[in-house]
Structure formats: C-alpha cells, structure tokens
Amino acid sequence: MTRISDLLAAGRTRSLEFFPPRTEDAEAQLRRALTDLADLDTSFASVTYGALGSTRSRTRDLVVQLNAEHSYPTMAHLTCVGHSRQQIQRLLDDYAASGVRNILALGGDPPDDGDDTGDFTYAHELVGLIRDHPGGFCVGVAAHPEVHPRSPDRASDRRHLADKLREADFAVTQFFFRVEEYERLIEELAALGATKPVIPGVMPFVSVPGLRRMSAMNGTAIPPELERRLEGAADADVAEIGIATATELCEGLLAAGAPGLHLYTLNRSTSVRRIWEALGPTA
Ligand code: FAD
C-alpha cells in the first residue's frame, strides 16, 4: 500500500475526502460520486471518523473497501479524545492487518459535558502511539490556518502545531478562503522549524446554510467579497459560486507552492470534477 509521504515526495497530490454514509440513500450517493470520479487523477482519498468514535466500524469498513477497490490509497481519519489506549491499539492492529498504511491522527472534539475524555487529550499523543505501532503507518495531522477555535492565542496554536508536525509526515488543513491564510501558516511553521508538507483543504460549498454552519464550527472566516457574491444568490447558483470560489483558491494555492490540494467532496462529484477540469492536469 502506497504511503502518502512517498506520493508527496514524488510531486503534487490531488486528494478527495469522503465521509461514511449513515443511510441507504447516502450510501447510494457516495457510490454514485465514487463512480463519477473514478477516471480522475486522484492521488489518495480519505475517510472521516465520527466524533468520539461514532462511526468507528463504518469508517474502518469504508477505508478497507476503498483501498481494495481503487489503485490509489485511502487514509483513515482517527480521533483519540474519548478513547482508551486499548481501543486505539485494537483499531491500529486491525488497520495494519488489513493493509491500511495511512492515518490522519486527530485530537477530535471533547464531549459536550467535558466528561470522559478517555486516555487522550491532544492529537500529538495519538501521533506518538501510531509511531510506536509496528504497522509502519504514514501519519498525517490537522492544521488550522485561521487558528484552532479552542486555541487561546495564535502563538501557542502554532507552537503546538509545529511540535505535532515535526513528529508526523504531513498535514492537511481545515478549509479557508484566502491564499494569504495558507501562506502565513507556512511562514509561521517554517519559523518554528516545521517544514513537512502542508496540504491545503478546500471546500466547494453547495449551500449557504451549510457553509455558515461549517465555517462557524471550524473558525473559518467568510471574506466580505464572498459574502457579497452570495448575497441574494438563488439557491441554484450557490454551488456555481462554490465551484468558482474553490477553483480560484486552488489556482492561488498552486501559485503559492502548495504541495497538493485536498478537496472536501461532501460525497458529491459535480463540483470536484468541474474544479479538477478547470485546473487541468496535475503539474
Ligand atoms: P490538537 O492538535 O490536539 O489541537 C487541539 C487544540 O489543543 C488546539 O487548540 C491546539 O493548539 C491545542 N493543543 C495541542 N497540543 C497541545 C498541548 N500539548 N498543550 C496544550 N494545548 C495543546 N474531527 C472528527 O471528529 N473526525 C474527523 O474525521 C476529522 N477530520 C478532520 C480533518 C482535517 C483535515 C481537519 C483540519 C480537522 C478534522 N477534524 C475531524 C476536526 C478535529 O478533530 C478538531 O479540529 C479537533 O477539535 C482538534 O483536532 P486536532 O487534531 O487539530 O487537535
């Protein structure tokens, strides 16, 4: 199974993020998207992990299935808060035995009542556990260009991220809308001696309520110029604005030297195809 670090060493990557469906209709939508996207030049895919392990077996099953069905590798997202070391160890053993070699090591969000956070507090503890596992995993971590919403200040956010990134192989970012956010993140990490590849995450939004909900949850600012484009836009036009916005952002990120592009697909294919086609072949 190919390691994502090897793909990044060989050139720019283009990757797609999916989530495990909860219903039969959602399953059918994911299958349609995967079929529609099958002929694209995809470097790797990833599958999210529900908060506090709520999709543990569905994530695992989808990751193993995609790895078997596609020539590109699929990375498993894994959060550690709310888990015991034994639970994580078992899942890592299972992934290793199933031939999965790429894991995105995440802290995850603590339970609303703050109780029972398990044996872990931060993602870097999970990175350490994965590194100690004999499975030889390639390890990615999350980065937040606009600073993690729980961080008390920018400086500590960057310090913790730089420490985490030095132990990992690469990072993937939260979605954002301005190239400058990415450039600033890379400069700040480099100043702290963290120079591993950071792949920007780009979200082609399809609805205004969805965009607002996810932006509020992740601390992503919606720039005034985007607000103006969305003002009064008919529902049917919002996905088009999402495609145009994501394409412009991707072009800017490539010009800024990003080592790859990671699209949050929302388990849909139309926007992804349009963006990749507008960008042309992977350079
Ligand atoms: P951490 O790196 O642990 O950071 C969390 C906070 O703690 C930050 O404020 C950080 O500055 C601070 N911190 C870190 N280390 C220390 C330390 N040693 N001392 C003090 N403070 C510290 N969530 C899911 O539930 N499932 C998913 O599949 C998922 N996929 C994601 C994919 C990407 C690309 C991204 C960017 C996020 C994803 N998330 C997912 C969201 C993520 O779980 C949340 O952002 C979570 O709140 C923090 O995760 P983290 O890995 O960034 O945590």
Side-chain angles (χ1 to χ4, degrees), residues 4 20 87 102 124 180 212 225:
I4 292 168
Q87 277 173 324
N102 300 285
H124 75 86
E180 301 79 57
R212 292 206 192 289
E225 61 274 19

Side-chain angles (χ1 to χ4, degrees), residues 203-208 210-211 235 237-240 242 265-266 268 271:
M203 191 192 61
F205 55 84
V206 291
S207 86
V208 175
L211 166 66
D235 285 354
D237 296 333
V238 173
E240 284 297 323
T265 68
L266 311 175
R268 293 160 186 266
S271 302

